[in-house]
Amino acid sequence: MTHTEQVIAKALAVVANIRSEWERDAERRKRVFGKLDVSRRRPTVRGQQLTLDLPSPQLT
């Protein structure tokens, strides 16, 4: 096997390893986040004014 073939084989092995890790992580995310209910929207808060009275920095 030439040096070029060795480099290509190592690169393909790295790509296959990364792909398998990515697929395992995608499956884990599907298991974890698939259980979350994102269909309901959060209630909106209306009619409340936030105070803009911010403390001024001390200039000493």
Side-chain angles (χ1 to χ4, degrees):
M1 181 179 274
T2 66
H3 177 69
T4 304
E5 291 171 335
Q6 289 176 346
V7 169
I8 292 171
K10 287 180 182 179
L12 289 174
V14 168
V15 169
N17 188 20
I18 291 171
R19 179 174 287 159
S20 67
E21 287 179 13
W22 185 85
E23 289 172 352
R24 280 193 306 268
D25 190 50
E27 184 62 35
R28 183 191 62 81
R29 283 194 312 270
K30 186 189 291 186
R31 279 194 323 269
V32 171
F33 297 116
K35 297 176 184 176
L36 297 177
D37 182 19
V38 293
S39 61
R40 294 187 305 159
R41 297 182 61 193
R42 285 197 221 161
T44 57
V45 178
R46 296 179 190 229
Q48 291 185 358
Q49 178 66 42
L50 298 177
T51 179
L52 296 178
D53 185 24
L54 302 175
S56 61
Q58 298 289 332
L59 300 175
T60 58

